[in-house]
Structures are given as structure tokens and as C-alpha cells.
Amino acid sequence: MATINRYGEGDVVMSTDKVVTSTWSNNTNNLTTFYTSAIQADQTDANSQGNFFINLYNDPTSSVSASVQLSIGYGHREGKGSKDFTNDTGSFGFSATKVIYNQYRQLVYGDESQNFTFSTHTPDDIYVLNVNRARYRHNLKPGSLNLKLVSASITLNLTDDSVTSTGSATTTNIGRQYNLVSGSDGVMEGSSIAQIGTTSSYGFVYPDAGLIVINPDALGLKMNSTLPNRDANTNTSSSLLLLNVMEAGNQFIVDSEERITSQYYFTRVKNFEFNYSSNPSFIDDQGSLNFTSMIDMPKVYISTVGLYNDDGDLLAVAKISQPIAKDFTKEALIRVKLDY
């Protein structure tokens, strides 16, 4: 008949494994080509979506396989580089670029008055690469970032410094923060974060939020073509400057990482247990056996294991791939795996 047994000590074991996959659609390892939507990237008006961010697709937007991989944006703490929302007195500088800068410093620092500072240098603006949330699992895998930028004869390979720093990271409101540096596979070239000029690193990497914040001053010293136009009340399309060198580089590699926790329930079936069934073909309405030959030597088949809480509520059901024959002469050990 239906019986509920409590798992004993050692019957329940927990395990956590890391699963790494490519971030981009169709398990593509390297995103080499970027496509935009003319409608989404439009910057005609001050409120046009393209002034805030531009979505980058894996295929032309006319294709059914096109999906957003990441977005690119530009932020300025004084609102330069885009049109003001209005031209009224007191509203100058309130623009899309100021919204973007305030949004990301609020996310990272939880404070709209704290600026992005790279070591000792505080630029007025930032570039932002935001990986679409649907593209990665728990987080981007530290040490897997390889972003190649090319401008004329100049090539720059960017990665995080997670390997060089042996995993040590600054903790922020959106998780771990690593430096964005020249190098590959999490290993920084040279020994100093201030790799060019006095502007420190090229930016920050936030793997838990799928976010890369780039220091335009450092990048501009290396590649003059990426220096933003910081005119006030003017749409300068600065984010396209970064996109241009990304397209020329033809390489954006970053992996997705997921932690899967598995709980194993070792279900032990003793010889004297679970030898009868409540199946309607086994018993009648009064609970008597339909076949008297089953009284002394019953034979049933175990096909399902149910997991219950202390109140007797069924929480999960495990289906066995092949029914297990059970009688008084047989015992069984069934391992139930619960992933979450």
C-alpha cells in the first residue's frame, strides 16, 4: 500500500557544478559581425531610443534568426554629446547621455552623485557594452573575455584581469568588478593597471551583470578615432565610434557560466517494503487483493518515486526509466537527482 518513508542521515547529498557555454546565439563562440536596426538606432529626436542605446544583432534584422546580443551606449555626466530634452531655462544638460551616465552609476554604486573613477582618473563620460540578459545564464565567465578593437593600423585586445588578480575583485551593487585591460583570457599585459598614459585601466568588467564600462579617455589615447564629440546639446552618435572599431576587430568572445546545484536522494527500498500497490488493478474498492496468489508472494513494479514534505504534500515526482520488479526477495537503491 502507499507508504512514505523519511530519508535518513547520508541519504541526501548536495553537489554544485559549473556549466560553461558560449554567450552568443546558437552557441556561437565568437561574435564577428554586428547588425543594427535603422528604426531602433534612430537619433532624430532628443527622445529617440538610439540616443540612449543601440541594439546589436547577430543577423540582419530582416532575418527571422536575428536576436539582440548586446547593446552599446554612451553616457556623459554633464549631458554632453546629445540634444537636451528641452531648451527651457534650468533644463540645459538634461539629455540622453546624462540619463545613461546616471543610470549606470546608480546601478554600480547605488548613488547618482558618485562618478566612475578608474584608479585616480575620473573621465566625464563612459562607453557601455551591456550583454542582453537572455544571452547568459548566471554570469559571464571571468577570464573568457577577448574583445578586439581595430582602428587603421592600431589593434587593441581587451580582457578582464581576473586571472592576473587570481580572482580577487571589488564588490559592487551589481556584483564583482574587474579591470578591463589589454591582454587575453583574463591575463593582463605588463604589470601595471595604468597601461596607457595616466588614465589607469581601459574600464571595468561586471561579469555578474553582463556589463562592460569603458573609459573613453584611455581608449582615445590608444585610438584617436574613438574620442567622443563632447559638444553640448548636439547629437554626436558617439556610441557608433566604439561600434566602428568593434566591427573592424571582428572578435568578441565571452563565455556564459551557470552554477547548477544538484541534490541527490538515495532512495533505499528494503526487501519487506513496497511489495503491495494501491493500483486499482491490484485491490478492490474495499482494499482487498484482487488476486489471492498475491497474498503471500506479491510482485509489483516500482515506476515512480515521490518526494514529500513533512506535511505529506507531494513536491516532486521522479520517473524511473524502466520499472523495477519488487517482491519480498528483492531490494533496490534508486538515486533521484533534483537540479535547481
Side-chain angles (χ1 to χ4, degrees):
M1 304 302 174
T3 305
I4 297 178
N5 285 359
R6 180 179 294 276
Y7 286 101
E9 184 177 355
D11 289 341
V12 182
V13 178
M14 183 176 291
S15 172
T16 301
D17 299 308
K18 289 183 179 180
V19 177
V20 178
T21 59
S22 296
T23 297
W24 313 122
S25 292
N26 303 317
N27 206 30
T28 301
N29 177 254
N30 183 13
L31 191 62
T32 59
T33 308
F34 309 93
Y35 298 90
T36 60
S37 164
I39 297 175
Q40 188 277 321
D42 177 67
Q43 297 179 327
T44 304
D45 299 321
N47 292 305
S48 296
Q49 195 175 75
N51 289 319
F52 296 87
F53 64 91
I54 296 175
N55 285 331
L56 305 183
Y57 297 78
N58 58 321
D59 288 316
T61 53
S62 58
S63 171
V64 295
S65 62
S67 60
V68 177
Q69 306 298 295
L70 70 154
S71 60
I72 185 171
Y74 170 74
H76 194 289
R77 57 177 170 168
E78 295 179 2
K80 295 179 179 179
S82 63
K83 289 183 178 180
D84 297 340
F85 295 131
T86 65
N87 289 318
D88 295 334
T89 302
S91 66
F92 301 129
F94 287 91
S95 67
T97 58
K98 188 167 187 175
V99 169
I100 291 298
Y101 192 94
N102 286 344
Q103 174 189 356
Y104 282 98
R105 65 175 167 184
Q106 176 70 35
L107 282 173
V108 174
Y109 303 115
D111 184 355
E112 285 196 4
S113 63
Q114 185 168 345
N115 300 317
F116 282 97
T117 298
F118 306 92
S119 187
T120 59
H121 180 72
T122 304
D124 289 330
D125 46 6
I126 56 172
Y127 283 122
V128 177
L129 295 175
N130 213 148
V131 178
N132 188 285
R133 187 62 187 87
R135 302 274 69 84
Y136 64 96
R137 304 298 182 93
H138 284 169
N139 56 266
L140 301 180
K141 184 179 183 295
S144 69
L145 173 63
N146 288 282
L147 174 60
K148 184 178 181 180
L149 307 179
V150 174
S151 176
S153 61
I154 301 172
T155 297
L156 177 62
N157 294 295
L158 295 175
T159 188
D160 59 79
D161 66 345
S162 60
V163 175
T164 299
S165 64
T166 62
S168 177
T170 301
T171 301
T172 70
N173 281 3
I174 55 174
R176 295 165 293 176
Q177 171 188 285
Y178 294 103
N179 291 298
L180 182 67
V181 296
S182 62
S184 62
D185 299 321
V187 179
M188 179 180 68
E189 289 182 352
S191 57
S192 173
I193 293 296
Q195 295 178 296
I196 183 167
T198 59
T199 59
S200 186
S201 70
Y202 286 103
F204 295 135
V205 180
Y206 302 91
D208 301 310
L211 175 65
I212 301 173
V213 176
I214 297 177
N215 176 0
D217 285 352
L219 188 60
L221 282 175
K222 182 71 174 180
M223 296 178 166
N224 185 263
S225 64
T226 64
L227 277 174
N229 183 336
R230 294 157 175 147
D231 291 342
N233 197 24
T234 304
N235 279 344
T236 60
S237 304
S238 293
S239 56
L240 296 179
L241 301 177
L242 177 58
L243 178 58
N244 290 339
V245 295
M246 289 172 59
E247 290 178 325
N250 288 328
Q251 178 178 292
F252 194 166
I253 300 172
V254 64
D255 289 334
S256 170
E257 188 174 57
E258 180 181 18
R259 290 177 178 83
I260 297 180
T261 299
S262 300
Q263 201 149 8
Y264 296 91
Y265 294 85
F266 291 91
T267 307
R268 309 176 197 278
V269 186
K270 302 294 181 64
N271 68 300
F272 55 85
E273 296 176 319
F274 302 100
N275 292 316
Y276 296 93
S277 172
S278 57
N279 190 294
S281 65
F282 199 84
I283 58 175
D284 59 24
D285 293 339
Q286 284 72 44
S288 301
L289 294 174
N290 284 328
F291 304 97
T292 56
S293 60
M294 291 285 190
I295 295 176
D296 296 322
M297 187 52 69
K299 186 174 183 179
V300 296
Y301 289 87
I302 301 174
S303 61
T304 304
V305 177
L307 301 181
Y308 295 79
N309 62 13
D310 289 337
D311 295 326
D313 300 319
L314 181 63
L315 303 180
V317 174
K319 293 290 186 179
I320 299 173
S321 59
Q322 182 175 341
I324 300 173
K326 181 69 178 69
D327 58 37
F328 282 108
T329 66
K330 295 181 175 68
E331 293 191 346
L333 174 60
I334 303 170
R335 189 184 71 166
V336 177
K337 182 183 179 185
L338 183 63
D339 291 334
Y340 56 91

